[in-house]
Amino acid sequence: NYATQQRTAPGSTYKMVTSTAALEEDIISTSSKVTCYGFYETGDSIARCWIHPGAHGSLNVIGAIQHSCNAFYYEMGYKLSLTDNVYDSQTGLATLAKYADMYGLSETSGVEIEEYSPKISDTDPIRSSIGQGTNNYTTTQLARYVTTVANRGTCYNLTLIDKVTDSNSHLLFDNQA
């Protein structure tokens, strides 16, 4: 069952988690701008935006979501990892995990069949901020997450069963999400 037994990196769908974390942790406001040069350089590492060799230019969080700008989110992953202006990857990973949990990404989706457990990234908060790192979720877990976004933060367990009746149509069980 690919929907519940195959895990994959969430990729850009994860950028809503990072956006929420950056806004709620006061890393940015809705009007804060980050300039995308087509790449992001930190220390001895360079990460490319998907548009490289082009660039998105100056974007706020709304533009970053609209254009799915990796460079913007790399910067968010970096800033979420700062403690007293010192980079600490564990701080960034813990913050991203906290917000992934709020979207229901730390547990299975609730469907009534066997499902692999989700994997929140435990490495590289800069790349994890765009849904890479070691993030791995099933399709049903990602569907639950997107439903949580659409429901303005209300996270429902998914279900395959609406109700159970006996052979005489008497209700035995009425299931709710």
Side-chain angles (χ1 to χ4, degrees):
N1 185 334
Y2 292 117
T4 61
Q5 298 294 305
Q6 180 178 334
R7 289 182 289 200
T8 187
S12 292
T13 63
Y14 195 82
K15 291 174 180 174
M16 295 301 294
V17 170
T18 305
S19 296
T20 303
L23 288 163
E24 290 294 316
E25 297 293 321
D26 292 324
I27 301 300
I28 57 168
S29 70
T30 56
S31 61
S32 300
K33 301 260 184 160
V34 171
T35 301
C36 169
Y37 298 101
F39 62 92
Y40 184 79
E41 188 172 0
T42 176
D44 59 354
S45 177
I46 296 177
R48 299 191 193 294
C49 187
W50 69 266
I51 200 168
H52 185 270
H56 289 112
S58 183
L59 299 169
N60 63 12
V61 68
I62 296 165
I65 292 169
Q66 180 182 5
H67 297 286
S68 193
C69 178
N70 291 349
F72 180 94
Y73 288 100
Y74 293 144
E75 177 71 6
M76 296 306 103
Y78 177 79
K79 287 185 172 186
L80 288 166
S81 302
L82 295 178
T83 302
D84 298 323
N85 289 324
V86 175
Y87 179 81
D88 175 39
S89 65
Q90 292 308 308
T91 297
L93 291 168
T95 303
L96 288 170
K98 170 183 162 184
Y99 287 91
D101 178 59
M102 289 179 182
Y103 279 107
L105 287 171
S106 62
E107 56 193 37
T108 56
S109 68
V111 294
E112 295 87 355
I113 58 177
E114 186 178 343
E115 179 179 14
Y116 280 148
S117 295
K119 170 87 169 82
I120 294 177
S121 186
D122 59 2
T123 185
D124 192 356
I126 292 172
R127 285 175 180 78
S128 295
S129 69
I130 67 161
Q132 298 301 317
T134 56
N135 282 306
N136 273 294
Y137 304 99
T138 66
T139 304
T140 54
Q141 290 157 5
L142 292 174
R144 180 178 185 230
Y145 157 61
V146 171
T147 301
T148 303
V149 172
N151 286 321
R152 298 180 179 210
T154 302
C155 185
Y156 295 103
N157 278 342
L158 301 182
T159 183
L160 298 172
I161 300 171
D162 178 39
K163 62 183 173 183
V164 176
T165 60
D166 65 16
S167 59
N168 294 321
S169 297
H170 294 109
L171 183 65
L172 300 175
F173 176 71
D174 189 13
N175 199 19
Q176 299 294 317

